[in-house]
Amino acid sequence: STTLSSAELYDPVTEVWTHTGAMNTRRWRHTASVLTNGKVLVTGGQLGSTIFSSAELYDPLTGIWNVTGAMRNSRQSHTAAVLQNGAVLVSGGSDGNTTLDTGEVYYP
């Protein structure tokens, strides 16, 4: 199978998908969270046997992905939830060897 870095935007009015900027890192088993400011935070994931702690922010106004602060732990197959204060709670998943029972908070 192929792991991609590409991204597409869906317009529910026109029902059309449009290509937009590509992520800096190809990954799968990551999470994507829409922040309260409209940007999208992608965290963790993997490529082959490499598990990532990295995170990227997508700006829909520019179509550009920028690397942002990395997590303390490499994670794949985790969950992410945007909290009422705008922070993102990332929890669980695996580091490739161990199932994680920890969580981390991202503050935009």
Side-chain angles (χ1 to χ4, degrees), residues 14-90:
T14 62
E15 298 183 353
V16 172
W17 288 93
T18 305
H19 287 279
T20 189
M23 291 184 291
N24 293 285
T25 302
R26 294 185 304 140
R27 59 181 81 216
W28 69 303
R29 293 186 175 167
H30 56 278
T31 59
S33 305
V34 179
L35 305 179
T36 56
N37 63 7
K39 294 183 178 181
V40 178
L41 175 70
V42 166
T43 59
Q46 77 179 82
L47 178 61
S49 61
T50 303
I51 312 298
F52 299 117
S53 63
S54 63
E56 300 187 35
L57 273 176
Y58 173 76
D59 186 338
L61 298 178
T62 63
I64 295 173
W65 291 89
N66 288 299
V67 174
T68 189
M71 297 181 292
R72 290 180 187 244
N73 295 97
S74 298
R75 297 175 186 270
Q76 55 91 0
S77 299
H78 53 285
T79 61
V82 178
L83 306 175
Q84 286 183 338
N85 68 356
V88 179
L89 172 64
V90 176

